[in-house]
Amino acid sequence: QVQLVESGGGLVQPGGSLRLSCAASGSIFSTNNMGWYRQAPGKEHQWVASDIRGGNTYYSDSVKGRFTFSRDNARNTVFLQMDSLTVEGTAVYYCNTAGVTLTWGRGTQVTVSS
């Protein structure tokens, strides 16, 4: 069972930046399209960004131009650089395959507040 471990969250002021990381226990990234998702309190998981095996990247309209997806297959890690954060970005952030085929990790809490 592959385990996903997200990290890098925290408290940041509006307009600030954070870089999230997601590490996998197995070598899955090189063979899977990966995605970042978030879950705000009381809401379901929402897709944020994904890539095609390290190639093209795709973003939800709400984060386009502010977030950047990247990966390091050799380190079994994907990243989400989040710039110009807004309070709407407050959520627990998760990674998973683009088809959400793995068990969710614990996520990493991002709180955007002044």
Side-chain angles (χ1 to χ4, degrees):
Q1 181 76 14
V2 174
Q3 291 185 326
L4 300 167
V5 179
E6 299 88 353
S7 61
L11 173 64
V12 63
Q13 293 185 341
S17 299
L18 285 173
R19 187 187 193 215
L20 307 184
S21 299
C22 173
S25 59
S27 300
I28 64 165
F29 292 154
S30 62
T31 58
N32 282 277
N33 305 331
M34 296 300 299
W36 280 97
Y37 305 82
R38 64 188 179 188
Q39 186 175 30
K43 297 187 177 181
E44 296 185 352
H45 286 90
Q46 175 192 35
W47 171 73
V48 175
S50 57
D51 80 343
I52 305 298
R53 297 186 188 182
N56 290 344
T57 52
Y58 303 89
Y59 301 92
S60 68
D61 287 343
S62 62
V63 307
K64 195 175 296 182
R66 301 185 296 115
F67 288 15
T68 305
F69 185 112
S70 62
R71 62 160 70 198
D72 184 338
N73 287 339
R75 293 170 54 192
N76 297 323
T77 305
V78 294
F79 306 95
L80 186 67
Q81 176 67 40
M82 306 188 298
D83 298 318
S84 302
L85 281 160
T86 68
V87 295
E88 289 74 23
T90 295
V92 180
Y93 284 72
Y94 303 85
C95 73
N96 210 309
T97 62
V100 191
T101 58
L102 301 175
T103 301
W104 293 106
R106 293 187 175 183
T108 185
Q109 175 71 49
V110 172
T111 302
V112 186
S113 174
S114 56

